[in-house]
Amino acid sequence: MVRASVSRASTAVLGPVRTCIGCRVRAAKSELLRVTAGSDIDGQPVVVPDPAAVRPGRGAHLHPESECYDLAVRRRAFAPALRVRAPLDLAQVVAYLASLDESTDSTTDRTPDQEVEQ
């Protein structure tokens, strides 16, 4: 979902506000997925999803939607936002977003009658 520009007055948000590195729209921190730089088993830099926002270090925020992820990749926004110079592996973020899509799909595939039965 591509977000349109909206005036500041109509987007008043309570609590901390962050900017999505994909679509560049400001949103409540609670609506965004925080990601941090980490390293894999071989010591190579990776981007790690941090939905609880508890990992140490610099974080970047992203709407948990594939459209914003795709924009961030196209803009090459992860490395500058996390202040990392090396190429980053984004596989963990892709897997996390896919798991969110699967959980959404499984709840929307059922009819209201099926939800009541379970």
Side-chain angles (χ1 to χ4, degrees), residues 19-34:
T19 301
C20 173
I21 62 172
C23 65
R24 304 294 297 160
V25 171
R26 293 171 54 89
K29 182 180 173 183
S30 60
E31 295 176 17
L32 301 172
L33 170 65
R34 181 175 188 261

Side-chain angles (χ1 to χ4, degrees), residues 4 13 18 20 43 52 60 63 65 69-70 72-73 78 86 94 104 108-109 114:
V13 178
R18 302 291 184 264
C20 173
H63 284 104
E65 301 169 358
Y69 169 80
D70 293 339
V73 169
F78 285 98
V94 171
T104 303
T108 58
D109 288 344
Q114 290 173 329

Side-chain angles (χ1 to χ4, degrees), residues 102-118:
E102 288 173 8
S103 65
T104 303
D105 291 343
S106 67
T107 58
T108 58
D109 288 344
R110 291 187 272 169
T111 64
D113 294 336
Q114 290 173 329
E115 290 177 7
V116 172
E117 291 174 7
Q118 294 182 357

Side-chain angles (χ1 to χ4, degrees), residues 35-39 45-48 55-56 58-59 82 84 88:
V35 296
T36 61
S39 58
V46 297
V47 178
V48 180
R55 287 181 49 88
R58 183 168 184 83
L82 296 171
V84 176
L88 294 166

Side-chain angles (χ1 to χ4, degrees), residues 57-79:
R58 183 168 184 83
H61 293 82
L62 179 73
H63 284 104
E65 301 169 358
S66 59
E67 293 86 3
C68 287
Y69 169 80
D70 293 339
L71 284 170
V73 169
R74 187 171 55 196
R75 294 178 62 243
R76 298 183 182 135
F78 285 98

